[in-house]
Amino acid sequence: MGTQIEGSSVVVTGGASGIGKGLCERFAALGAAHVVVADLNLEAAQAVADAIGGTAVHCDVTDDASVRALIAASIEAMGHIDLFCANAGIGVGGGIDVDDDTWSLTMDVNVMGVIRSARAVIPHMTERGGGTLLITASAAALTTGPVSFNYAVSKHAALGAAEWLALHHGPTIAVSALCPTIVDTPMLPDFGDVIMQPLTVDQVVDSTIEGLEAGSFMITPMPMALDMFRAKANDFDGFHETMRGRLTDSGSKFGP
C-alpha cells in the first residue's frame, strides 16, 4: 500500500535547497496538510516555508538533540508526522587522501543523520499505527561510480540502514530508499566532471512521488542505475572492468 501525499503531515530534512526543496514544493502542491522544512540554514528554510505555507525548523542532523527537537516541533505544529524524509546530505570529499575529519563529517551527516532521524521518528509512527520514512541514498549505493570515496561509502551505508529498517519495521513503517544518479543541485560541483547528464530536481521528485504512491522500497529516477546494479550482481569482475574503463575515459578526479 502506497503513501498518500494529499492530507499528509510531512517533514523534510535538507529542505532548503536541491532535492529537499523540490520535495517540499511538490508535497505542498499535491495537497499535503502541512510541510515542515528542516535545514541547517534556517533563513533559507524559512524562505521555502513561506513560499509553500509551511513551517521552518532549524535542524542539525549531526546532533541527536536537534533531531529530537525537530520531531517535537513538527508534532507540535502538525499534530503528528505521516511522512518523514531523511534527505539531508553532503557530497564533499575526494579519493584515498580524504582526511579523518572529512570522513567523520560525511558519515555523521549521510549515515548517522538517517539513523538519528529513524530513531526519533519511528517510535512516534509506530505508536500511531504507521507512517512512511523516505531515505535519500544515491545510485552510488548501487554502483559506486564517479563520486568521492567517502561519499560512495556513506551512501552504501545509508542504503543498508534503509533496508534494515524496512525489514525490521515494515510493513507498519513503509521505508523507501531514493537512489538518484547525479542531480543538478548545489552539490553538483562537488562531483567534478560527470560521465552522464545530471538529472533535474523535477525528474527526481517525479520519480519520488511515483515511488511513494506505489509503496516501492527502491526508487531509482534513472532506470539505468538499477540495470547496472543487476549487471554488477551478475558479474562483479566484469562490471568493475567496465566501470574502470569509463572512469579512465572520463578523467575521474578521484583516481591515482
Side-chain angles (χ1 to χ4, degrees), residues 7 13 46 53 78 80 84 90 97-98 112 117 122 164 188 192 207 209 216 226 236:
T13 64
Q46 189 64 61
M78 303 186 295
H80 63 273
F84 189 99
I90 57 172
D97 58 341
V98 173
M112 289 307 301
S117 297
I122 283 179
W164 189 95
L188 183 59
S207 291
I209 298 302
S216 301
L226 202 53
F236 267 78

Side-chain angles (χ1 to χ4, degrees), residues 18-19 87 136-147 151 155 177-188 191 194-205 207-208 218-229 239 243 246:
I19 294 171
N87 171 75
T136 301
S138 169
L142 304 175
T143 61
T144 304
V147 296
Y151 181 83
K155 290 302 184 177
L178 173 59
C179 294
T181 52
I182 292 170
V183 186
D184 189 5
T185 72
M187 283 174 56
L188 183 59
F191 297 102
V194 298
I195 62 175
M196 62 183 69
Q197 181 69 28
L199 295 167
T200 66
V201 169
D202 279 343
Q203 286 176 307
V204 175
V205 173
S207 291
T208 302
M218 183 71 70
I219 301 175
T220 49
M222 185 175 283
M224 180 182 71
L226 202 53
D227 292 340
M228 292 172 69
F229 178 65
F239 177 81
M243 284 301 294
R246 291 182 181 179

Side-chain angles (χ1 to χ4, degrees), residues 15-27:
S17 65
I19 294 171
K21 179 175 181 285
L23 288 172
C24 290
E25 292 170 342
R26 187 67 63 84
F27 291 144

